[in-house]
Amino acid sequence: MKISRVKTETIAAHCHAPEDDPMLKVYWDAAVQYVLGYTGMTKRDADKHEDLTVAALVLVSDMYYNRSYHVASEKVNQIVDSIIGSHDYNLLPGGGVDERR
């Protein structure tokens, strides 16, 4: 199945969630963006790799069931940490948010 053709009912079935849960779309969009950002692909490129659809579905499931930043009290949610880290300008040389403006 192509990543661009996944329907809400597929996501809901994968997560064992009600189809009308509005968070499914939020998590799906975030999961697809994560996959595209991580791979550097466009949606069109990602459509050629059905295993990326599976990866995005696994991410959605993880996001759906682990909705808090801290999992098991002291452990940080790795998906959230990875998403935030991929946008962390503080790690770039000379970079803070204020310097980019």
Side-chain angles (χ1 to χ4, degrees):
M1 177 181 300
K2 295 180 180 194
I3 204 165
S4 65
R5 297 212 176 148
V6 174
K7 296 189 184 309
T8 304
E9 59 258 14
T10 303
I11 300 164
H14 183 78
C15 294
H16 304 287
E19 278 185 45
D20 62 348
D21 188 334
M23 293 308 297
L24 292 176
K25 177 158 178 27
V26 172
Y27 295 144
W28 177 252
D29 291 346
V32 170
Q33 186 60 43
Y34 182 83
V35 167
L36 297 179
Y38 190 90
T39 62
M41 292 184 184
T42 64
K43 263 190 188 177
R44 187 177 182 165
D45 292 333
D47 275 347
K48 298 174 187 171
H49 306 278
E50 293 189 12
D51 53 340
L52 293 178
T53 303
V54 174
L57 285 167
V58 170
L59 286 168
V60 169
S61 180
D62 188 64
M63 290 177 194
Y64 190 78
Y65 287 106
N66 299 300
R67 295 173 229 187
S68 64
Y69 185 64
H70 288 278
V71 178
S73 69
E74 77 282 349
K75 292 185 181 180
V76 172
N77 184 316
Q78 291 180 347
I79 298 297
V80 173
D81 193 51
S82 178
I83 290 169
I84 292 171
S86 71
H87 297 284
D88 191 350
Y89 291 103
N90 292 325
L91 299 177
L92 297 175
V97 173
D98 293 334
E99 293 179 28
R100 292 183 290 122
R101 294 181 192 188

